[in-house]
């Protein structure tokens, strides 16, 4: 149960951190796109547009009205550059988000791998414990106890780390907006951060005015270029190339304006922010709490196992001691049987069915047998033939020895001595089977 809870908590935590890093990378991509659009538009306005206007100024030197139009367009271009310079510098924020995402991803990878190894170690120790108890192996139980103590220490350590992480993350999730505003107040104005954090319809876009001026300036410049293409090109054919170059710069700037407007809208960054908070405060905190539960369950389980293993050890030792108390000469001792089967070179042990060694002593050592009725034996054999087909001698007295046990009665001795060699051979064969 503890390992199952641990796998689930590790997966949930990894999902939450992945969602956080994914949102950070998306926000970094958005800010990088804004920075590249602003930089590219300003570069085209300063270099490309300025060069075309300088050459047209030389071409239209004899026409004052055309020169005034070019000066007006230069003022519009300077106005666009001024509005773009008024936008916040996202470079530092972009670099900061990228570094946070990279560090978080690296830490999460090692955290996930560490917990995965810990879970696998718990499973291996449980398997060793079960195998050691099943095989009653002391060295397996010893190995399990050593690794169990190590895992117990790791479980309590992970519990402390998870609790600290859960408490810190929960404090952050109570009011994440204030934390973000306090961390970005030196990089971005507070009204812009507030706009992206809440993204309400009642909030005005702080970039609306510069974007509107940018749009109007581009529209005015395009109107001026259209008039110059219509009236100046017939008089100055060499000016057509520069006028078309300015028109291309204005078209590309307008496309950049539309992209910039979409990127600066609060909905994109606000969605990334909300996704990051859901990943941290929902999946992340939930996964960390499940990891805390895993640590508690694992610590309790290993504590119980470490307390139960010594008792199992004592039971194994007591069983081995009971085996040691068994008579080594007892033919029913399993150790003697294993020894004989494993060491065939040892001398044969005489069992109660070894009749060959005592055949010579039957005639010399035993007194004459009195006349005893064999009716019980005949009746027994008849019953055995009825039920099993072959007579059985499980209840027959010990045979094949030089002298019967001293506890036998005279009638049992007589029965013993009256058995023929063929009956003895059949009895030995049945017993061996």
């Amino acid at each position: 149960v503890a390992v199952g809870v641990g796998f689930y908590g590790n997966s949930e935590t990894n999902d939450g951190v992945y969602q956080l890093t994914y949102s950070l990378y998306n926000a970094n991509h958005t800010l990088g796109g804004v920075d590249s659009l602003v930089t590219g538009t300003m570069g085209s306005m300063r270099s490309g547009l300025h060069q075309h206007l300088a050459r047209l100024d030389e071409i239209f030197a004899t026409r004052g009205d055309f020169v005034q139009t070019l000066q007006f367009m230069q003022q519009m271009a300077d106005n666009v550059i001024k509005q773009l310079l008024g936008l916040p510098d996202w470079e530092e924020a972009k670099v900061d988000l990228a570094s946070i995402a990279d560090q978080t991803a690296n830490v999460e990878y090692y955290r996930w791998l560490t917990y995965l190894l810990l879970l696998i170690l718990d499973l291996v120790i449980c398997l060793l414990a079960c195998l050691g108890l099943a095989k009653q192996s002391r060295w397996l139980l010893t190995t399990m106890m050593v690794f169990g103590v190590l895992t117990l220490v790791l479980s309590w350590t992970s519990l402390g780390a998870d609790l600290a992480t859960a408490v810190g993350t929960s404090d952050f999730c109570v009011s994440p907006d204030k934390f973000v505003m306090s961390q970005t107040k030196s990089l971005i104005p507070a009204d812009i951060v507030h706009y992206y954090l809440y993204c309400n319809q009642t909030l005005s876009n702080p970039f609306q005015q510069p974007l509107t001026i940018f749009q109007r300036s581009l529209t005015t410049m395009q109107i001026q270029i259209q008039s110059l293409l219509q009236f100046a090109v017939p008089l100055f054919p060499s000016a057509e190339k520069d006028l078309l170059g300015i028109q291309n710069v204005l078209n590309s700037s307008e496309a950049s304006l539309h992209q910039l407007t979409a990127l600066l809208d609060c909905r994109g960054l606000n969605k990334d922010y909300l996704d990051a908070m859901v990943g941290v405060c929902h999946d992340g905190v939930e996964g960390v709490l499940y990891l805390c539960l895993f640590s508690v369950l694992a610590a309790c389980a290993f504590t119980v196992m470490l307390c139960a293993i010594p008792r199992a050890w004592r039971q194994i030792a007591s069983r081995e001691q009971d085996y040691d108390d068994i008579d080594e000469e007892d033919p029913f001792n399993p150790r003697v049987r294993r020894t004989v089967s494993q060491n065939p070179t040892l001398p044969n042990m005489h069992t109660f069915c070894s009749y060959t060694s005592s055949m010579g002593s039957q005639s010399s050592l035993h007194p004459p047998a009195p006349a005893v009725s064999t009716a019980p034996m005949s009746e027994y054999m008849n019953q055995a033939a009825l039920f099993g087909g072959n007579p059985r001698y499980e209840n027959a007295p010990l045979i094949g020895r030089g002298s019967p046990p001293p506890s036998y009665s005279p009638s049992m001795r007589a029965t013993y001595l009256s058995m023929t060699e063929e009956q003895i051979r059949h009895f030995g064969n049945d017993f061996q089977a």
Side-chain angles (χ1 to χ4, degrees):
V1 172
V3 170
V5 172
F7 273 111
Y8 179 76
N10 196 31
S11 177
E12 284 292 309
T13 306
N14 184 258
D15 291 341
V17 176
Y18 174 77
Q19 193 170 356
L20 170 64
T21 55
Y22 183 77
S23 300
L24 289 177
Y25 283 127
N26 279 344
N28 180 71
H29 178 72
T30 301
L31 298 180
V34 171
D35 185 71
S36 63
L37 288 174
V38 171
T39 304
T41 304
M42 291 177 60
S44 62
M45 288 288 179
R46 286 177 175 174
S47 60
L49 187 62
H50 180 73
Q51 293 176 1
H52 290 299
L53 290 176
R55 285 195 292 267
L56 289 175
D57 188 55
E58 296 178 357
I59 295 172
F60 297 153
T62 58
R63 292 293 301 266
D65 52 348
F66 292 164
V67 172
Q68 290 180 357
T69 302
L70 296 177
Q71 293 176 355
F72 179 74
M73 292 178 62
Q74 183 64 50
Q75 292 177 0
M76 293 294 101
D78 294 338
N79 193 19
V80 169
I81 293 174
K82 180 180 179 181
Q83 299 303 321
L84 292 177
L85 289 174
L87 297 177
D89 187 8
W90 302 97
E91 185 65 27
E92 295 183 4
K94 180 186 68 173
V95 173
D96 190 53
L97 287 178
S99 62
I100 292 175
D102 293 337
Q103 294 175 3
T104 304
N106 291 332
V107 172
E108 170 57 21
Y109 172 75
Y110 289 110
R111 186 210 63 80
W112 174 83
L113 183 61
T114 301
Y115 266 99
L116 185 63
L117 295 177
L118 181 60
L119 293 169
I120 294 175
L121 178 62
D122 290 348
L123 285 178
V124 172
I125 292 175
C126 292
L127 292 177
L128 286 178
C130 295
L131 185 62
L133 292 175
K135 297 180 68 66
Q136 297 183 357
S137 175
R138 288 191 173 186
W139 72 270
L140 280 178
L141 295 179
T142 304
T143 305
M144 189 288 267
M145 290 186 66
V146 173
F147 283 99
V149 173
L150 175 62
T151 309
L152 187 62
V153 174
L154 293 177
S155 298
W156 287 113
T157 304
S158 64
L159 177 61
D162 293 336
L163 283 177
T165 304
V167 171
T169 308
S170 300
D171 291 339
F172 166 77
C173 293
V174 171
S175 181
D177 300 338
K178 294 182 179 179
F179 177 80
V180 173
M181 293 186 70
S182 64
Q183 293 295 319
T184 57
K185 63 181 180 181
S186 60
L187 301 176
I188 306 171
D191 57 338
I192 298 177
V193 177
H194 191 271
Y195 170 72
Y196 285 115
L197 290 180
Y198 298 102
C199 193
N200 294 329
Q201 296 296 332
T202 57
L203 296 175
S204 60
N205 190 347
F207 307 109
Q208 186 63 43
Q209 183 178 358
L211 292 176
T212 302
I213 297 175
F214 187 5
Q215 177 66 48
R216 291 177 179 176
S217 300
L218 289 178
T219 303
T220 304
M221 294 171 69
Q222 287 176 349
I223 294 173
Q224 298 297 326
I225 288 296
Q226 289 293 334
S227 63
L228 289 177
L229 285 173
Q230 183 178 1
F231 298 105
V233 170
L235 299 177
F236 303 95
S238 60
E240 182 178 6
K241 181 179 179 181
D242 291 315
L243 291 175
L244 292 177
I246 293 175
Q247 191 176 28
N248 292 330
V249 171
L250 296 178
N251 291 334
S252 62
S253 299
E254 186 175 7
S256 301
L257 173 64
H258 293 307
Q259 296 179 10
L260 188 61
T261 304
L263 293 176
L264 290 176
D265 188 76
C266 67
R267 287 173 292 182
L269 289 176
N270 182 258
K271 182 181 181 300
D272 295 334
Y273 171 71
L274 293 179
D275 291 341
M277 292 303 102
V278 169
V280 173
C281 301
H282 186 268
D283 294 338
V285 174
E286 181 183 0
V288 172
L289 291 178
Y290 274 110
L291 289 178
C292 292
L293 180 60
F294 153 72
S295 300
V296 172
L297 292 177
C300 294
F302 280 107
T303 301
V304 172
M305 290 173 67
L306 291 176
C307 294
I309 288 301
R311 184 171 181 178
W313 193 306
R314 287 194 297 269
Q315 290 182 356
I316 295 174
S318 63
R319 290 181 181 180
E320 292 181 355
Q321 186 176 2
D322 293 340
Y323 277 117
D324 293 337
D325 293 339
I326 298 176
D327 188 7
E328 296 294 339
E329 297 180 358
D330 187 359
F332 293 100
N333 187 0
R335 290 187 176 181
V336 175
R337 295 181 182 179
R338 288 195 297 268
T339 304
V340 173
S341 63
Q342 294 176 0
N343 299 292
T345 58
L346 295 177
N348 293 329
M349 298 181 64
H350 296 286
T351 63
F352 67 91
C353 61
S354 61
Y355 58 90
T356 57
S357 62
S358 60
M359 293 299 296
S361 62
Q362 289 184 0
S363 60
S364 60
L365 296 179
H366 297 293
V372 180
S373 176
T374 60
M377 180 61 67
S378 300
E379 182 180 357
Y380 170 78
M381 294 177 64
N382 292 332
Q383 293 178 358
L386 288 175
F387 289 101
N390 294 322
R392 299 184 304 172
Y393 298 92
E394 287 87 345
N395 297 326
L398 297 175
I399 58 178
R401 293 191 179 185
S403 61
S407 61
Y408 284 3
S409 62
S411 62
M412 295 177 67
R413 293 179 182 178
T415 303
Y416 168 76
L417 294 175
S418 64
M419 296 181 67
T420 64
E421 181 180 359
E422 183 178 1
Q423 291 174 339
I424 294 173
R425 185 180 297 107
H426 281 298
F427 173 76
N429 293 333
D430 290 343
F431 179 80
Q432 291 179 358

